[in-house]
Amino acid sequence: MIKAVRGTRDLLPPDTALWNFVEKTVREVFEAYNFQEIRTPIFEETQLFSRAVGEETDVVSKEMYTWEDRGRAESDRGHSLTLRPEATAGIVRAYIEHKMWDRGLNKLYCMGPMFRRERPQKGRYRQFYQIDAEVIGPESSGSASPVRDAEILEMLATLLDRLGIKGWTLEMNSVGSSAERVKFNEALRVALEPVKDKMCADCQRRAVTNPLRVLDCKVPEDQPIIEKLPRISQFLDEDSRKHFEQVQEILKAVGVEFEINDRLVRGLDYYTRTAFEFTHGALGAQNAILGGGRYDGLSESIGGPPAPGIGFAIGEDRLVMTLQESMGSIQQKPDVYIAALGEGMDREAARLARELRRGELIVELGDEKFRLKKSFEAADKIGARYILIVGENEAKSGVFALKNLGTGEQVSVPRAELAERIKQVSRLRDR
Ligand code: AMP
């Protein structure tokens, strides 16, 4: 039997209803903040990610799905292509390619699959879904302002509240400008030199190539060493400090709670200044629902003009998991099941179904070959609220037997009143 590839999975109904509920709410909330949708390709030139995300990150060094393009045309051959492991690089590439600075401040969002060859476990997949938003523009558009950082953090808090997710925590930190990061990295390198041999293999490598990443280490034995390392807050200059304070002040003013975590560095290289994560206790080891931060130098690193920006990626798989724990699943239930009864009745049933569906009802259609008992069983199985019986007498008289499957009550309803009648009860749906 051929099965889905390890680390990938099928999303089946009724779970997909929860995914759609999330995506619909996201669109509503983001649009209220004047974000607009962007869609970029699922694969890009490999060098986009190695330059934007950073060669030394786990994502680029070990986790990308990369292949050499084959194609017939000379221009296709030999190109190294990669399935996108994250969305920001592609969006910034699009920003540069389409000279989107002409629009001033861009507030963009997208949703879709990302690919990383990680070890699969609960809440961690090789194809997973992210909901991503970015604010990017020339500095003159206000893109570097702490107003923007606070706005997207407040938007995220609003989204999680609207989805009914309780018990989330916002942790944030300032990782400084790239100049401050260089100094901090150097201080870490010096501090790690005498102790790195006692650390895990990954940290020994990171201590040399990218000491900042050591702070990401989750190995318990390494924690006492990490605890004693220098902190980024010691290296922030006046501007970075002020920026971070202003973000905090706005958040306090709008009533969004947060915690400062000066160990938070995030897995990708491009972050500057504000970095943040929302975590949730119900998720276990993979407890980050979303993460993001500012990336003021990213555009330049892939050949664009200066374009400060800030963004985040929500792990949709994890968001849905949290919702499943709190609200179970959403079951789509048809308003009515139409049971055609007797030869020639399929046509009449189809006509009625068409009318009712135009009246925005969810309608399931039976088959005249079914006996009445089988129709009732089918209606019951899909959780239909009503069954509508369409036999020869009903078709002739234009008055139909409509049975409420919840209460057992049966009434005769003229054709013209059917939609209204069904709606009355169905609008009291359980969601
Ligand atoms: P990152 O792009 O690494 O900052 O990740 C942003 C968010 O995406 C994380 O907070 C997770 O919720 C989610 N995420 C990252 N990697 C995975 C994965 N392999 N499987 C499921 N969700 C993931």
Side-chain angles (χ1 to χ4, degrees):
M1 191 189 15
I2 301 176
K3 291 189 175 167
V5 174
R6 193 168 119 85
T8 72
R9 61 191 180 136
D10 304 304
L11 303 174
L12 308 176
D15 292 350
T16 40
L18 213 47
W19 286 74
N20 286 330
F21 164 67
V22 166
E23 289 167 17
K24 186 165 167 272
T25 311
V26 162
R27 288 178 195 279
E28 282 167 13
V29 172
F30 288 8
E31 281 164 20
Y33 290 76
N34 198 28
F35 278 75
Q36 290 176 287
E37 187 169 5
I38 180 170
R39 298 189 189 199
T40 63
I42 279 174
F43 58 93
E44 301 262 5
E45 300 265 357
T46 302
Q47 54 163 336
L48 171 67
F49 302 114
S50 46
R51 278 162 67 182
V53 180
E55 297 276 6
E56 269 310 318
T57 57
D58 285 351
V59 169
V60 171
S61 64
K62 327 192 254 213
E63 297 168 359
M64 294 204 299
Y65 284 93
T66 297
W67 71 99
E68 197 141 296
D69 207 13
R70 287 195 293 221
R72 277 206 196 154
E74 187 67 40
S75 56
D76 288 341
R77 273 199 294 266
H79 265 256
S80 180
L81 303 177
T82 291
L83 288 179
R84 63 182 186 191
E86 57 96 57
T88 310
I91 294 177
V92 176
R93 189 227 3 97
Y95 171 86
I96 299 167
E97 187 169 335
H98 304 289
K99 302 188 172 47
M100 290 172 78
W101 48 85
D102 286 343
R103 303 162 194 240
L105 191 67
N106 291 270
K107 297 170 94 174
L108 307 165
Y109 75 90
C110 73
M111 318 185 189
M114 306 293 155
F115 306 85
R116 296 182 194 172
R117 196 185 284 102
E118 292 190 271
R119 199 169 48 77
Q121 63 180 86
K122 184 178 175 233
R124 199 203 270 155
Y125 309 97
R126 291 180 165 181
Q127 172 171 337
F128 59 101
Y129 294 79
Q130 284 188 340
I131 297 163
D132 194 270
E134 314 291 341
V135 179
I136 182 169
E139 184 147 8
S140 60
S141 69
S143 56
S145 163
V147 168
R148 308 273 65 114
D149 307 35
E151 184 186 42
I152 65 166
L153 289 167
E154 190 264 318
M155 177 170 88
L156 282 165
T158 301
L159 174 68
L160 296 182
D161 291 344
R162 272 278 292 280
L163 289 169
I165 293 180
K166 298 201 176 64
W168 51 262
T169 309
L170 160 57
E171 291 181 32
M172 56 178 199
N173 189 22
S174 176
V175 296
S177 65
S178 50
E180 291 148 22
R181 290 257 296 267
V182 169
K183 284 190 208 144
F184 179 46
N185 241 330
E186 197 40 48
L188 284 176
R189 199 188 310 273
V190 171
L192 283 164
E193 187 48 44
V195 289
K196 66 175 197 289
D197 293 346
K198 300 193 197 93
M199 302 184 82
C200 70
D202 276 341
C203 280
Q204 295 191 18
R205 182 174 52 82
R206 293 170 183 145
V208 180
T209 56
N210 191 354
L212 202 67
R213 289 274 76 76
V214 168
L215 305 183
D216 263 350
C217 175
K218 300 277 187 308
V219 176
E221 294 76 33
D222 288 357
Q223 299 311 310
I225 300 176
I226 293 171
E227 215 25 63
K228 294 205 195 75
L229 293 173
R231 301 190 172 231
I232 181 73
S233 48
Q234 302 163 266
F235 295 82
L236 298 185
D237 69 14
E238 188 55 25
D239 285 351
S240 289
R241 214 184 301 271
K242 240 199 199 133
H243 183 100
F244 196 38
E245 274 164 18
Q246 277 170 320
V247 177
Q248 296 175 48
E249 274 160 23
I250 301 176
L251 288 180
K252 282 182 197 149
V254 294
V256 172
E257 285 182 28
F258 58 86
E259 289 170 12
I260 305 289
N261 171 0
D262 66 1
R263 287 278 169 235
L264 185 82
V265 287
R266 316 258 318 115
L268 316 179
D269 263 3
Y270 50 58
Y271 289 106
T272 54
R273 293 199 166 155
T274 318
F276 56 85
E277 245 168 39
F278 282 68
T279 55
H280 197 281
L283 284 171
Q286 302 300 320
N287 69 351
I289 317 179
L290 70 94
R294 184 163 272 292
Y295 46 83
D296 291 346
L298 178 56
S299 171
E300 288 114 303
S301 76
I302 55 175
I310 178 162
F312 59 79
I314 304 175
E316 195 175 352
D317 305 75
R318 294 186 197 170
L319 194 61
V320 170
M321 255 166 64
T322 332
L323 280 176
Q324 269 162 342
E325 310 229 337
S326 63
M327 65 191 269
S329 63
I330 303 175
Q331 185 86 38
Q332 172 171 304
K333 292 185 176 164
D335 294 306
V336 59
Y337 182 96
I338 301 184
L341 202 61
E343 212 182 314
M345 285 304 116
D346 274 343
R347 270 165 285 162
E348 189 59 25
R351 276 205 322 140
L352 267 170
R354 185 165 157 96
E355 277 168 35
L356 296 177
R357 284 170 178 152
R358 286 184 175 180
E360 289 179 9
L361 290 171
I362 305 176
V363 179
E364 189 52 270
L365 194 53
D367 191 308
E368 67 182 30
K369 288 187 199 70
F370 292 0
R371 296 217 195 136
L372 196 55
K373 181 161 177 282
K374 183 163 174 183
S375 292
F376 267 95
E377 281 165 5
D380 204 45
K381 188 156 193 172
I382 58 173
R385 278 154 228 274
Y386 281 101
I387 188 162
L388 178 68
I389 296 157
V390 183
E392 208 168 326
N393 291 341
E394 286 85 356
K396 266 198 199 119
S397 65
V399 177
F400 296 85
L402 181 68
K403 183 165 185 166
N404 183 323
L405 290 169
T407 63
E409 183 198 9
Q410 182 166 327
V411 284
S412 298
V413 184
R415 183 178 202 115
E417 290 168 29
L418 275 172
E420 264 323 297
R421 181 83 194 206
I422 295 168
K423 255 183 217 166
Q424 274 168 17
V425 170
S426 288
R427 292 302 105 145
L428 307 171
R429 280 202 204 146
D430 41 10
R431 73 157 129 133

